Amino acid sequence: MSIDTEDSSAWSLKGRIEFELKNVDGGISATLKAYELDPYNSHTCNNLGLFYKKKSDLKNAIKFLKEAIEIDPFNTGAITNLAITYEETKNFESAADLIFIALQLAPDKKTLHFNAGNIAAEVSKQRHFERAIKILEILVKVDKENSNHWFNLASNYWVTKQLDKAINCFKEVERLLPDDEQTLVSLVKLYGESGNFRQAISYCEKLLDRQLSILNATCWRAQYMQADGRGQEAIEFMKSVIRNNQMNDHLWVTLASMYSYEGDNQRAAAMIVGARQILMEKGEDNDKDKMDFLSERQQHYHQLERK
C-alpha cells in the first residue's frame, strides 16, 4: 500500500486495514506512525487502545484509550472500550462508571446496550448494586421491550430493599413473559415480603393455574392465607392438600410450621413425626440431612410446647 508518509490519516487507514487482515502488529506499527504525526487524534488513540487490547497488552490499551477520552470526552467508542478493558482487569467500579457516562452520551446506541447490560450484570455480582441500578435504569428507558434488563433491574432493587420498585419491574417482565416461572415466583415472594398477602396469594394461584412450582406455590398459598389472618381456613386447605398427597413429607413439614404459628406446638410436633414416618416408608430415612432437619424441628416444637 503506497501512502503519503506525512499523512497521519493515511497511516491510520493502513493500520485499520492491517488489523482487519489479522496483522495486529502491523496495525499497531502503522497506527503508531499516525500517532507520531498527530498525537491529538482521538480516533487514532482509540484504535491503538483496541489493537493493544487485542494483543492482551492491557497496560498500553488503557493508556491510549484514556488519551482518546482526554482528547475527546464525547468519544463514546473509546469510553465503551475503556469500560470493557477495565472489566477485563476486574476494575468493575470504573467499568460501571464509564459505561454509565457512555449511555448518557449515546442512549440510543444499540451496540452500547449489549456491553452496558453485561457490565451491569457483572458489577451486580460484585455487589456494586447502586452502580448496576444506574446503568439499568437508563437501559429500560431506551429498550422497554428487553425483559433481561427489567429482570436485572428488579433483582437489584430487591437486594437493596426497594420492594415497590422491584415489584413494578418484575411486572414489566410479566407483561413481556407472562408464563415466566422465575418472575412469578419472585412476585409471590416480594408481595409476601412487603406484607401484601392477598397479592402474594394471587400470584400463587397464577403459578398453580400454569402448573408451575406446584408444591411451593401450594405451600406459600396456605402460609400467606394464614399471614392474612385466615389461620383456620389455611390449615384446612393444607390438610385437604395432604389428603390427596399423603406421601409428601414437605407438605407435612409446612403444616407443622402452620400449627406452630397458631400456637399449637403439640400438633406441630406430631406433623413432624408424620413426616419422619413417610421418609421411612419411602426408604429415605438414610437421608441424614432430612432426618437431622426433622429432629431439629421436632425438638424445637417440643421446647416451645414446654414454655
Side-chain angles (χ1 to χ4, degrees), residues 21 23 31-32 36 51 58 66 77 88 95 103 138 147 158 165 186 220 227 233 236 262 271-272 288 291:
L21 293 172
N23 182 6
T31 310
L32 280 173
E36 289 172 11
F51 299 167
L58 298 185
K66 280 184 171 180
E88 289 187 16
L103 275 173
I138 294 179
S147 59
W158 193 355
K165 289 183 177 180
S186 297
W220 293 332
E233 181 186 350
E236 290 303 319
E262 297 294 321
M271 295 303 103
I272 297 298
K288 187 175 184 303
M291 296 302 283

Side-chain angles (χ1 to χ4, degrees), residues 15 29 51 56 58 78 88 96 102 105 108 119 132 146 149 158 170 203 220 231 242 251 274 302:
S29 177
F51 299 167
S56 298
L58 298 185
E88 289 187 16
L105 292 171
D108 297 321
I119 289 174
N146 189 309
H149 295 331
W158 193 355
F170 275 126
Y203 274 91
W220 293 332
I242 288 175
L251 296 175
H302 281 317

Side-chain angles (χ1 to χ4, degrees), residues 33-52:
K33 290 186 181 296
Y35 178 74
E36 289 172 11
L37 292 166
D38 182 7
Y40 300 107
N41 187 304
S42 180
H43 296 294
T44 299
C45 292
N46 180 47
N47 288 342
L48 279 169
L50 275 177
F51 299 167
Y52 276 117

Side-chain angles (χ1 to χ4, degrees), residues 246-250 252-253 272-295:
Q246 287 282 335
M247 299 302 289
N248 190 309
D249 56 286
H250 183 79
W252 289 77
V253 172
I272 297 298
V273 172
R276 183 188 296 276
Q277 183 63 37
I278 287 167
L279 289 180
M280 292 174 67
E281 290 180 21
K282 293 195 295 185
E284 296 179 15
D285 51 319
N286 59 346
D287 187 329
K288 187 175 184 303
D289 289 340
K290 276 190 175 183
M291 296 302 283
D292 286 350
F293 170 75
L294 292 178
S295 295

Side-chain angles (χ1 to χ4, degrees), residues 50 53 76-85 87-88 92 95-100 102-103 109-123 132 135-136 139 143 146 149 152:
L50 275 177
K53 181 175 176 292
T76 56
I79 295 169
T80 302
N81 291 330
L82 183 55
I84 294 167
T85 306
E87 183 186 15
E88 289 187 16
F92 298 112
D97 292 343
L98 281 166
I99 208 71
F100 177 69
L103 275 173
K109 192 174 181 180
K110 294 291 186 183
T111 54
L112 181 55
H113 296 174
F114 175 78
N115 291 314
N118 287 344
I119 289 174
E122 193 57 57
V123 295
I135 295 167
L136 290 162
L139 288 175
D143 193 1
N146 189 309
H149 295 331
N152 290 336

